């Protein structure tokens, strides 16, 4: 060990910040700075060594390392101790391979972490090649920034030149050294001055989104690391010139233009109108700092307002003003801003900003790729090689490449036409546009335009003796069913039913119900199912709103409806002819354009509305369904109310495919009579009910709600030979308009199950707020167009006009239905469903995907069903998890904390016997109970239970100046910040000799959790010792008692 | 900022809808001459779209 003289000074804020970040993973080379340099011809190894040593002698930063003294970070400066540099001779290799060998050595050096606590914070090696002597130099960012690289090269050259000529080296005097700056900075930034600067930043960042809304390829891991990769690219020839020209004309800098382009891109991809980007300030505000090697850079956050679809020129003006403001306050140490703005930091998210753009025209890029990143996405733009560095935990390489393509395309268009609005700048390539509008929507299929009546009668004529319907122990053949329906239909016609009229069906689940539905269709009218289990008020509302020509009921349910209803008593219609009706028998001819049914759906707000669906839409869906679900030709179990359009598949699909409808409640023994059905359609909430007897043999169709792989896993494992189809479809686009088929044996990964691709002659459009197609991977609102569109809402012209819009991407005059659902295209052309647009919930400003929380809850082996909701009873929105199953809340919470980012871990967990369901089998969110009120703070005190907890609690109390700290108290909730955390960890390390990294505190800020980490690490270290060593340790321990 | 303006528009089936005034109207749709806020346009549609059957259906029945 060297015995050179050393002096200690306080660390600068920049050093402190780098040190702190480095602690998250001290074994990563993420902060290594490296660059190659070729000595001028004729310089020998001794001279080269001497030249490097002279530069080191001039700059204290190159003789500095960092250390914690009593919980405070200090920089230790050593006296210069010249040492020759090691030399590697590669001249034995063929000339063509020497450069490559140099790069290999350099890369190896660059990827080796530089520990911060041992001097010096750099490594150098001379490589002798035939073309000359090269220097491989790797230095830690804590003592070196990109301007330092420029200085370093200039000085190397100056000393080489001096050695050659014998003249004085042309290097500037250094009136101050880096440590002087650090001391000065600490004195400057205190008290009122610091408060003033922080007030600017808290104001500037108030209400800013804490996390970018960029679509991620994978959910955020609970803990951030530095794993990254980079995509290299070059800007097209001349683009930077045009960037410069636009900048000059707008009194801006090229950097501002590059930033405005980046902000526009981020806004377009994320849908956020408020975008926060990290930018770096040089931090060399005084002239005497300019010639100093050292770490001066300070990041600041640039908040860009992209709201109101500004022109690019207007956005550039906003970015320009914002950047000038930010730079004026650029000396505020970033960690101070973090503490002021985001004290309770979430270890899964980089605080304040997650994306950055650097403009480094002078120093250029190091060709060595470190495989690390500090940001989620960061552009380094130079005049030559540029790169996008990305976090591999979040993004795939293909996504990063796409981001680069989009940036270059958007920037080029913006610079060429700054008067275009941000929203009008091109985001998609022509090929992508063709894909999302064309290839992925190429659903054309020749399907005859017909009526449900024709389809059912075709089947009845073909197989009159086959069983069509089984209910209440009665089996009706196709011929019998058809005849019964014909008789009733004639009576309905006589009572005024016909095309463009409605007949309400207030009937319980029965053979009569199916007969009546077919009879209404045959009469040419539209049926309106009225669930007899509904409250009287709701029934009265439906009957008034639908204004039916006629109400059909049974003696049991007649009391629910007006007195002039047609009561089916077994005799009704028996005197009528059982032949199929012709148009001559009807009030008016029945055409495929007439409505077949009106189904009432309750939106999230307002009164229920009747969706009017025409025959041509139903038969279009049924044709697709028959081709997709072979089980429809077998027995289909129909268990849901017919007021829910999910049942159209099992009822009309089956009756037009020659299958048998088994009508029974899912908990009714009759549902199981006659063996397993071939076809079954359920909501995800039904899945836990499907045992061996109820499960279908051919097709299990799941619809009505979002489906996660976790929900399906158990059933799938028990029934590997059945196809599962995830069907998506609002009633307004007829039953199912997008579907994904999971073939038997095909694996179902955890997480949301894709909803797949559009049905025949249907197109799915994913559009942004300005109705432009969004690129694959980007969240858009789902619009549906094609033959399955409903006519509209019964007697609601305004509402119909609002939701059925002109379609800019279809044949002239076509409409598209705005589903209000969010989705995104996957790379394979399937759609991912991402929830309702109006359900986009935020907690503490962070967008929450409830599905992600629900999937994580379900991943626990003892959770059978789960839901998540954001509740606002207490004023502040709170995330609440609901679970069904034997799992204990504590174990679920611990599991979630391991798997999910902190903002996705529910603040409360509620155990239920079963999830509340609506009559349609969907989760009834309104019926989820509020969690019991949180216990008051003082009652939650749990005394430390182990020695380790005692130690951690004692250290927290001391560092945070808190009287009483319990086992369940959280360091950050008690007022801790990263600086205090550093002290706390130093204190703990002083008490127990265990290698506890800083990130342990970020990941486990609760006393009990951190104590457990300490115990685990002690145990792990003991495991690594031999028995003799353990015995010796224990003996020593006893000796001290 | 000014409230976004919408148009009341209609296709050849005489189905009504609304469309942002500063966006190109898709082919097959015609401006009915009524413009206003979103709410004003929807209220206007409620008034004028009295027969919601598509024109082809209406004509076939008459």
């Amino acid at each position: 060990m060297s015995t050179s003289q050393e002096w200690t000074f306080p660390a600068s804020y920049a050093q402190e910040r780098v040190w702190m970040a480095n602690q998250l993973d001290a074994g990563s080379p993420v902060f290594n700075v490296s660059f190659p340099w070729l000595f001028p011809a004729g310089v020998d190894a001794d001279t080269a060594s001497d030249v490097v040593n002279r530069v080191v002698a001039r700059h204290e930063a190159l003789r500095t390392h960092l250390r914690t003294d009593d919980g405070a970070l200090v920089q230790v400066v050593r006296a210069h101790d010249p040492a020759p540099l090691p030399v590697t001779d590669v001249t034995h290799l063929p000339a063509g391979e020497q450069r490559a060998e140099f790069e290999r050595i350099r890369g190896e050096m660059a990827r080796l972490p530089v520990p911060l606590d041992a001097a010096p914070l750099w490594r150098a090696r001379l490589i002798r090649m035939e073309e000359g002597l090269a220097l491989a130099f790797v230095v830690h960012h804590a003592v070196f920034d990109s301007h330092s690289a420029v200085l370093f090269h200039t000085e190397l050259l100056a000393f080489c030149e001096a050695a050659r000529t014998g003249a004085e080296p042309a290097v500037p005097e250094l009136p101050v050294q880096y440590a002087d700056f650090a001391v000065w900075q600490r004195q400057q930034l205190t008290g009122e001055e610091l408060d003033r600067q922080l007030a600017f930043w808290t104001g500037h960042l108030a209400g800013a989104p804490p996390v970018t809304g960029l679509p991620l390829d994978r959910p955020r891991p609970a803990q951030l690391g530095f794993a990254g990769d980079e995509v290299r690219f070059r800007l097209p020839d001349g683009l930077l010139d045009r960037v410069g020209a636009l900048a000059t004309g707008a009194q801006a800098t090229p950097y501002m233009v590059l930033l405005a382009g980046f902000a526009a891109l981020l806004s377009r991809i994320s849908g956020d109108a408020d975008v926060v980007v990290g930018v770096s300030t040089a931090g060399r505000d005084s002239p005497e700092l300019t010639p100093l090697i050292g770490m001066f850079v300070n990041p600041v956050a640039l908040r860009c307002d992209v709201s109101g679809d500004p022109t690019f020129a207007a956005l550039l003006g906003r970015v320009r003003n914002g950047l000038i403001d930010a730079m004026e306050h650029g000396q505020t140490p970033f960690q101070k801003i973090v503490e002021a703005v985001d004290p309770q930091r979430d270890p899964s998210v980089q605080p304040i900003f997650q994306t950055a753009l650097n403009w480094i025209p002078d120093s250029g890029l190091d060709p060595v790729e470190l495989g690390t990143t500090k940001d989620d996405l960061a552009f380094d733009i130079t005049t030559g090689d540029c790169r996008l560095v990305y976090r591999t935990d979040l993004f795939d390489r293909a996504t990063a490449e796409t981001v680069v393509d989009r940036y270059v395309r958007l920037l080029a268009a913006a610079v060429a036409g700054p008067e275009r609005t941000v929203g009008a700048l091109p985001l998609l390539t022509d090929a992508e546009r063709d894909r999302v509008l064309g290839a992925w929507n190429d659903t054309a299929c020749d399907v005859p335009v017909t009526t449900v009546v024709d389809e059912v009668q075709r089947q009845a004529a073909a197989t009159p003796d086959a069983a069509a319907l089984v209910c209440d122990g009665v089996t009706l053949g196709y011929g019998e069913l058809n005849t019964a329906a014909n008789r009733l239909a004639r009576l309905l016609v006589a009572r005024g039913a016909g095309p463009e009229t409605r007949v309400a069906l207030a009937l319980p689940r029965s053979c009569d119900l199916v007969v009546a539905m077919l009879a209404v269709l045959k009469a040419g009218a539209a049926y309106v199912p009225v669930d007899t289990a509904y409250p009287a008020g709701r029934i009265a509302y439906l009957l008034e709103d639908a204004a039916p020509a006629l109400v059909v009921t049974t003696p049991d349910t007649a009391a629910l409806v007006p007195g002039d209803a047609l009561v089916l008593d077994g005799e009704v219609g028996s005197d009528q002819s059982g032949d199929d009706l012709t148009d001559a028998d009807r009030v008016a001819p029945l055409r495929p354009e007439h409505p077949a049914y009106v189904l009432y759906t309750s939106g999230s707000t307002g009164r229920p509305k009747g969706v009017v669906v025409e025959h041509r839409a139903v038969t279009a869906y049924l044709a697709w369904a028959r081709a997709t679900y072979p089980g429809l030709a077998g027995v289909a179990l129909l268990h849901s109310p017919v007021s829910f359009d999910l049942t159209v598949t099992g009822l009309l699909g089956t009756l037009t495919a020659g299958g048998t409808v088994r009508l029974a409640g899912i908990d009714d023994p009759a549902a199981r009579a006659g063996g397993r059905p071939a076809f079954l359609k359920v909501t995800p909430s039904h899945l836990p009910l499907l045992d061996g007897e109820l499960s279908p043999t051919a097709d299990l169709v799941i619809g009505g709600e979002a489906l996660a792989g976790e929900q399906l896993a158990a059933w799938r494992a028990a029934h590997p030979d059945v196809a599962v189809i995830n069907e998506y479809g609002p009633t307004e686009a007829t039953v199912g308009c997008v579907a994904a088929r999971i073939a038997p044996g095909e694996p179902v990964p955890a997480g949301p199950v894709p909803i797949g691709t559009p049905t025949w002659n249907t197109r799915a459009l994913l559009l942004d707020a300005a109705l432009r197609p969004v690129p694959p991977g980007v969240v858009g609102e789902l619009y549906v167009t094609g033959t399955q569109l409903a006519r509209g809402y019964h007697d609601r012209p305004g509402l119909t006009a609002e939701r059925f819009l002109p379609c800019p991407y279809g044949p002239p005059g076509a409409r598209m239905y705005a589903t209000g659902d969010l989705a995104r295209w996957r790379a394979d052309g399937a759609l991912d469903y991402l929830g309702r647009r109006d359900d986009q919930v935020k907690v503490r400003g962070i967008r929450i995907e409830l599905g992600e929380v629900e999937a994580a809850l379900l991943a626990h082996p003892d959770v059978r069903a789960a839901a998540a909701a954001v509740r606002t009873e207490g004023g502040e929105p709170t995330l609440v998890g609901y679970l069904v199953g034997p799992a204990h809340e504590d174990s679920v919470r611990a599991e979630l904390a391991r798997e999910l980012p902190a903002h996705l871990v529910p603040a409360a967990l509620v155990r239920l016997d079963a999830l509340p369901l609506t009559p349609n089998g969907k989760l009834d969110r309104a019926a989820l109970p509020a969690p019991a009120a949180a216990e008051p703070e003082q009652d939650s005190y749990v005394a430390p239970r182990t020695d380790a907890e005692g130690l951690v609690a004692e250290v927290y109390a001391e560092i945070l100046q808190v009287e009483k700290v319990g086992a369940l108290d959280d360091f950050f909730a008690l007022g801790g910040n990263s600086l205090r955390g550093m002290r706390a960890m130093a204190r703990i390390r002083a008490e127990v000799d265990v290698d506890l990294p800083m990130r342990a505190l970020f990941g486990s800020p609760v006393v009990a959790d951190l104590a457990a980490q300490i115990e685990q690490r002690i145990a792990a270290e003991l495991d690594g010792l031999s028995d003799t060593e353990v015995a010796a340790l224990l003996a020593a321990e006893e000796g001290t008692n | 900022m000014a409230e976004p303006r919408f148009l009341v528009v209609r296709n050849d089936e005489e189905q009504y809808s609304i469309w942002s005034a500063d966006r190109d109207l898709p082919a097959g749709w015609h401006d009915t001459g009524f413009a206003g806020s979103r709410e004003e346009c929807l209220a206007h549609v409620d008034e004028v779209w009295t027969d919601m059957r598509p024109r082809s259906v209406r004509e076939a029945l008459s």
Side-chain angles (χ1 to χ4, degrees), chain B residues 18-36:
Chain B
I18 59 168
W19 193 250
S20 176
D22 52 17
R23 231 174 267 155
D24 293 339
L25 190 57
W29 289 84
H30 319 287
D31 185 355
T32 63
F34 186 93

Side-chain angles (χ1 to χ4, degrees), chain A residues 456-457 459-471 473-489 511-512 514-516 518-519 522 570 572-574 576-580 655 660:
Chain A
V456 172
Q457 287 174 178
Q459 190 60 51
T463 57
D465 299 326
L469 179 63
V470 179
C471 180
V474 177
T475 301
L476 284 185
Y478 270 86
E480 291 170 283
L481 175 64
N482 193 46
T483 303
N486 286 336
R487 291 199 167 110
L488 181 57
C511 287
D512 280 347
V514 178
V515 171
L518 294 181
K522 284 166 176 276
V572 165
S574 55
Q576 302 283 332
S577 157
D579 295 343
D580 286 343
L655 293 181
T660 306

Side-chain angles (χ1 to χ4, degrees), chain A residues 65-92:
Chain A
H65 67 280
L66 303 178
R67 183 168 78 200
T68 48
D69 270 2
D70 209 13
L73 187 69
V74 296
Q75 49 176 326
V76 183
V77 179
R78 290 207 166 161
H80 183 47
D81 185 10
L85 300 186
V87 182
T88 303
D89 195 324
V90 298
T91 51
H92 61 283

Side-chain angles (χ1 to χ4, degrees), chain A residues 54 138 355 407 422 511 628 759 792 819 928 1005 1028:
Chain A
R54 278 170 188 273
V138 179
T355 58
Y407 180 62
V422 167
C511 287
T628 311
T759 54
T819 66
L928 289 169
T1028 331

